[in-house]
Amino acid sequence: MSSLEQFVQVVIDSPSPYTNLDRIYVHNRILGLVGEDQPVEATDEQVTSLVDALVKTAVQNGKIEDAQSDRSILADQLMDLVTPLPSILNQRFWDKYQVSPKAATDYFFNLSKTNDYIKTRAIAKNVSFPAETDFGELEITINLSKPEKDPKAIAAARNQPQDGYPLCQLCMQNEGYLGRLGYPSRSNHRIIRMTLGGETWGFQYSPYAYFNEHSIFLDQIHRPMVINRQTFTNLLEIVKQLPHYFVGSNADLPIVGGSMLSHEHYQGGRHVFPMMKAPIARTIDLGVAGVEAGIVKWPMSTIRLVGSDVVALTDAAVKIHDAWMSYSDESVDVRAFTDGTRHHTTTPIAYKDGENYVLDVVLRDNQTSAEFPDGIFHPHQDVQHIKKENIGLIEVMGRAILPARLKTELVEVENYLLGQTNQMAEMHQAWADQLKATHSITAENVTAVVNAAVGNVFARVLADAGVFKWDDAGEAAFAHFISSIN
Ligand SMILES: [Zn+2]
């Protein structure tokens, strides 16, 4: 059987609308997309390999240009043929949900992998290792999965009007969108509809997942990120509906938030992050019946709320959030406003622990200063050789997402530490010299030494982003803030 015929069989066997009677029709649809001549044969029967071969056929036949954007658009059009329609998928998801929430997400997650919406092959390139620190074991990842954008695509994205279609990559309008130069292809993209607080929200997986079953929950309406009572309510409602998932929201301010502030969304998934394992350092009393509260032993200033009553938990979270929005303490550089500009918000994270709900509320402050132009509570200059990007939700919870450049740069640091010829970047010099002075380094232990040191730098990065430090002044200031909540 040719790769084309094999792929036709995959389409017919898939949960797509097509059956055996549609065989000729599907065959001709594919010929229309890839051309009739010069078929390229795949070396194995994996669906992704078959699609790769069909894309190469299309290039040879001049159906598409041999460019990343064109190849991706066609690959996703082919993968669309193995994917159910949104209406059918939603019905199957909620049918399976009656069996169990996990059965429903297993179905959707596996489907999103099978149709290559989740870029499993690219994600496999990521580097990840654990690192023991003063705050427990942190998770270090180097992100190598996102494809390099070609300059033409970057230029096209830059020239795109702000009122384009779809308005942004988190809009529902991406479902089935063909894509274009500078805008991702989404023919095989599907979104589950769910109801939160009487409104329709979408649930999808992240194509370039940072952890297991990395999900995105998105507002049906394109409107800016905001953290308020409804946010806490929505997060708790999501973990009520999907109790095997955590969910959190990035902050609604630049520097301390994520990269997409223009469309309200949350991120979740099936992963236990280091912060979720961190213990309570001391309990506190917020005066809300049915809620246990405490300060988490964590580099970022975090108050943990535990209880089974979601309304009481929401009340407690709102109390903290509202108090923080107007709270200043000059002695530790904490200022809610400067010149009328707001600096305070929170990063909330919800998950279940047995019958209880847990709501972790992380205090954020996005001020900049002459000394710290990138942010007072942001990685400081001496750790920016490892991480200078915003500390968003995933990193707040103790999973570092480090830039791709570090994969090769850290090898050069190892070469330097071993006294071998190297091209170590100058920005790593001070750090490497300190490692050299404090460790006896051998070829056997050099990788472990560097990995552990990266873990310690990441712990420092999180400590920089924490508003109240773990020293006498910081702990007293945190206690003072707690006592101001009423
Ligand atoms: Zn949008």
Side-chain angles (χ1 to χ4, degrees):
M1 246 202 294
S2 69
S3 289
L4 170 58
E5 285 163 343
Q6 282 176 352
F7 186 67
V8 171
Q9 189 61 48
V10 169
V11 172
I12 287 162
D13 294 341
S14 75
S16 72
Y18 305 106
T19 68
N20 201 35
L21 190 147
D22 302 306
R23 185 178 295 275
I24 297 166
Y25 170 86
V26 169
H27 187 104
N28 284 329
R29 284 280 307 276
I30 297 168
L31 281 184
L33 289 169
V34 307
E36 298 177 34
D37 305 322
Q38 313 180 69
V40 176
E41 297 302 326
T43 50
D44 65 70
E45 294 180 18
Q46 299 259 346
V47 184
T48 46
S49 306
L50 298 175
V51 166
D52 284 349
L54 290 168
V55 169
K56 282 181 189 149
T57 302
V59 171
Q60 293 218 15
N61 286 327
K63 283 287 199 180
I64 61 166
E65 257 188 68
D66 192 11
Q68 203 249 324
S69 178
D70 280 28
R71 288 194 302 264
S72 161
I73 286 172
L74 177 59
D76 287 354
Q77 280 180 288
L78 293 166
M79 285 299 187
D80 181 44
L81 297 171
V82 305
T83 311
L85 290 173
S87 54
I88 305 294
L89 173 65
N90 269 265
Q91 193 180 342
R92 288 187 189 146
F93 179 92
W94 291 110
D95 284 350
K96 288 179 191 293
Y97 187 86
Q98 297 307 313
V99 178
S100 77
K102 186 177 172 296
T105 56
D106 281 353
Y107 165 70
F108 186 35
F109 181 61
N110 287 325
L111 186 135
S112 300
K113 281 194 292 188
T114 305
N115 80 353
D116 205 39
Y117 183 73
I118 300 174
K119 302 297 177 198
T120 312
R121 288 179 295 177
I123 293 165
K125 293 181 198 154
N126 290 344
V127 174
S128 85
F129 55 87
E132 196 57 45
T133 72
D134 291 347
F135 289 97
E137 193 178 274
L138 302 182
E139 299 168 356
I140 309 298
T141 72
I142 299 176
N143 182 21
L144 298 157
S145 63
K146 288 212 176 174
E148 299 259 340
K149 280 191 181 161
D150 75 62
K152 269 197 294 181
I154 293 170
R158 195 184 301 125
N159 297 332
Q160 189 174 300
Q162 285 305 298
D163 58 352
Y165 180 89
L167 275 178
C168 83
Q169 292 184 26
L170 292 173
C171 278
M172 292 259 191
Q173 283 71 20
N174 288 283
E175 190 173 48
Y177 185 67
L178 182 68
R180 58 177 191 266
L181 189 62
Y183 196 98
S185 51
R186 292 287 182 255
S187 290
N188 57 344
H189 179 33
R190 299 291 186 270
I191 301 172
I192 298 295
R193 271 67 169 178
M194 60 196 297
T195 304
L196 296 178
E199 303 208 14
T200 299
W201 280 64
F203 159 43
Q204 63 170 80
Y205 288 104
S206 172
Y208 296 101
Y210 292 145
F211 51 84
N212 184 40
E213 299 182 37
H214 185 169
S215 317
I216 301 169
F217 299 88
L218 44 95
D219 194 331
Q220 185 179 35
I221 301 166
H222 177 88
R223 55 183 161 193
M225 293 285 288
V226 61
I227 307 291
N228 56 23
R229 170 174 284 273
Q230 193 62 50
T231 313
F232 301 121
T233 306
N234 286 351
L235 295 179
L236 290 166
E237 178 61 27
I238 289 171
V239 291
K240 188 176 179 182
Q241 292 188 31
L242 302 174
H244 54 308
Y245 277 14
F246 85 93
V247 64
S249 175
N250 255 313
D252 56 354
L253 288 176
I255 299 177
V256 296
S259 52
M260 293 288 271
L261 289 169
S262 61
H263 192 126
E264 191 176 25
H265 69 286
Y266 314 131
Q267 294 182 74
R270 202 160 147 226
H271 185 68
V272 179
F273 287 84
M275 188 176 87
M276 293 156 72
K277 299 174 204 162
I280 297 290
R282 65 184 180 87
T283 58
I284 57 175
D285 183 6
L286 294 172
V288 180
V291 176
E292 288 175 48
I295 292 172
V296 181
K297 183 70 186 166
W298 190 246
M300 300 199 58
S301 309
T302 307
I303 300 170
R304 177 165 295 159
L305 307 169
V306 183
S308 57
D309 178 348
V310 293
V311 175
L313 282 168
T314 306
D315 287 345
V318 168
K319 267 186 148 186
I320 296 165
H321 182 79
D322 287 356
W324 178 244
M325 290 288 269
S326 60
Y327 187 80
S328 295
D329 182 346
E330 291 280 343
S331 74
V332 286
D333 264 345
V334 161
R335 292 171 199 88
F337 292 89
T338 56
D339 299 328
T341 302
R342 172 168 76 96
H343 295 300
H344 281 188
T345 188
T346 55
T347 301
I349 297 127
Y351 48 96
K352 285 207 85 174
D353 179 14
E355 288 308 299
N356 276 331
Y357 292 87
V358 182
L359 194 51
D360 284 341
V361 182
V362 186
L363 309 176
R364 310 302 300 268
D365 177 320
N366 81 340
Q367 288 177 87
T368 56
S369 67
E371 188 185 2
F372 301 113
D374 302 319
I376 299 175
F377 304 103
H378 180 86
H380 290 172
Q381 256 119 8
D382 62 323
V383 287
Q384 289 187 1
H385 64 108
I386 299 291
K387 176 77 185 178
K388 62 181 173 199
E389 296 80 11
N390 291 353
I391 301 308
L393 174 70
I394 308 308
E395 302 191 291
V396 165
M397 292 189 286
R399 188 169 176 87
I401 304 161
L402 302 180
R405 62 176 171 85
L406 281 175
K407 192 187 177 190
T408 45
E409 287 179 18
L410 293 178
V411 172
E412 295 299 333
V413 171
E414 289 186 16
N415 290 340
Y416 173 79
L417 292 174
L418 292 171
Q420 297 169 352
T421 46
N422 65 82
Q423 270 127 30
M424 185 175 73
E426 201 186 320
M427 62 178 167
H428 296 305
Q429 185 80 46
W431 179 59
D433 284 338
Q434 200 197 355
L435 289 178
K436 209 170 197 173
T438 50
H439 293 78
S440 115
I441 290 164
T442 64
E444 285 69 41
N445 73 6
V446 66
T447 301
V449 167
V450 169
N451 286 357
V454 169
N456 285 325
V457 170
F458 181 55
R460 236 298 304 282
V461 160
L462 294 182
D464 284 352
V467 292
F468 298 121
K469 310 304 184 194
W470 285 97
D471 55 25
D472 289 347
E475 289 183 55
F478 205 162
H480 195 260
F481 168 65
I482 300 292
S483 67
S484 80
I485 303 171
N486 52 47

